[in-house]
Amino acid sequence: MPAAANPAVDKAVPASPDPGALLAWYDRHQRRLPWRAPQGMRQDPYRVFLSEIMLQQTTVVTVAPYYETFLRRWPEVAALAAAPLEEVLSAWAGLGYYARARNLHACAKAVSECHGGQFPADEVALLALPGIGPYTAAAIAAIAFERRAAPVDGNWERVVARLFAVADPLPKARGKLRALALTLLPQARYGDFAQAMMDLGATICTPRKPACSLCPWQNTCAARAEGAPERYPVKAAKAARPTRQGVAFLAVRVDGAVLVRSRPPKGLLGGMSEVPSTPWEAGGSAHPAAHAPLVTTWTALNATVTHVFSHFALELQLWRADAPADTLAPAGHRWVLPGGFDAEAFPSVMRKVLAHAQPFFAGPE
């Protein structure tokens, strides 16, 4: 007489994911992106590098026009290396996370000066370049040079966490997820596999409402077998984002020119253009007038600009002063007419300040 079935023993255990199934899916459904070479053609390392730096913490839709603009202006790494940093920052303005632009420029210079204008193919050598971390090094090595590497980004993390139902929370789980990702790699087509993982996470294995029925690995996914794919990846509770305050000083000449300056080359928004302001700190400055760029009469406008950075939120109150046409710019400052704003490397927060101030340029009624 046959033994009774034991549900605990007979429960199906997903088999190991087949990299070939994902590659076959990718051949049919890969996204057409401006930085990807046509199927079967070798990827340009410079284009991979440029796109991967831009895509860090930024969406494909946002990056695409910036990427195309950069490529038109600086079609090869030597051209980018030769460009003034101020021009690179200006072209980057609005894309956010501005340290990436400085690193982009520094890396281009290092490739031109130390590697004869050719990106190294080895992950270790790539990691030695300015601004290139483990993810970007692996992405360039895999996509541009077909090296066996796992560029584990957010999409990879989500796919792997669900495939193996990794219960450890991020960011602590990253080491485990990377180790598991390496077990998925095929014997060839490393670049296609890297991009297939990115596409799978971006289009099928999405953070919310994943389309599991369309996934090539649906029968080998532990999270789907549990019936709760959205449970993964588990994330640690976020710490509360603090708020800082400051005062932005809008000094406007009678011809409409605005007083601006450049931020220090390193640190938050390093090297970017800005309207002078007090330090940004919790509670704001006790004596904001002491930080004003001109000794004149300042009027507090009924206007506050808010902006959220990765680690804090900012509230900037606007103060305005009218200045005669012959007012000299203090040391480290310059007057910029509205027609020259686009040539300045204004970050998003400063473009908000300038846009918010436009109604006041004509002066009080």
Side-chain angles (χ1 to χ4, degrees), residues 99-234:
R100 294 179 300 165
R102 298 194 300 274
N103 289 334
L104 185 83
H105 188 252
C107 184
K109 290 176 72 68
V111 170
S112 293
E113 295 169 3
C114 304
H115 295 276
Q118 302 296 318
F119 280 86
D122 182 69
E123 269 188 271
V124 175
L126 287 164
L127 272 170
L129 294 171
I132 291 188
Y135 163 76
T136 307
I140 296 172
I143 298 171
F145 297 105
E146 286 297 333
R147 295 299 180 94
R148 188 177 189 278
V152 182
D153 65 351
N155 287 315
W156 276 66
E157 286 180 347
R158 186 166 56 257
V159 171
V160 174
R162 288 173 176 172
L163 282 173
F164 298 97
V166 176
D168 298 350
L170 288 170
K172 183 179 178 181
R174 288 207 164 108
K176 177 183 287 187
L177 293 174
R178 177 171 174 76
L180 289 169
L182 288 169
T183 69
L184 297 172
L185 295 180
Q187 296 303 309
R189 296 186 65 187
Y190 301 119
D192 284 346
F193 186 82
Q195 294 173 107
M197 287 287 283
M198 297 170 189
D199 282 9
L200 187 69
T203 64
I204 301 295
C205 195
T206 51
R208 296 177 183 83
K209 298 182 178 179
C212 295
S213 62
L214 302 178
C215 179
W217 281 339
Q218 58 182 283
N219 295 324
T220 59
C221 179
R224 184 173 187 267
E226 290 181 3
E230 290 186 57
R231 182 183 302 165
Y232 304 95
V234 179

Side-chain angles (χ1 to χ4, degrees), residues 78-98:
L80 181 61
L85 177 59
E86 293 75 16
E87 289 186 12
V88 176
L89 290 172
S90 178
W92 190 278
L95 197 54
Y97 300 97
Y98 295 95

Side-chain angles (χ1 to χ4, degrees), residues 51 59 90 119 128 130 138 187 200 212 260 263 272 300 316:
S51 64
T59 65
S90 178
F119 280 86
Q187 296 303 309
L200 187 69
C212 295
V260 304
R263 291 180 64 83
M272 305 297 289
L316 283 178

Side-chain angles (χ1 to χ4, degrees), residues 250-253 256-260 275 334-338 341 354 361:
L250 282 163
V252 185
R253 275 191 333 205
V258 178
L259 189 67
V260 304
V275 170
R334 58 190 178 275
W335 292 103
V336 178
L337 289 163
F341 287 174
L354 293 168
F361 279 166

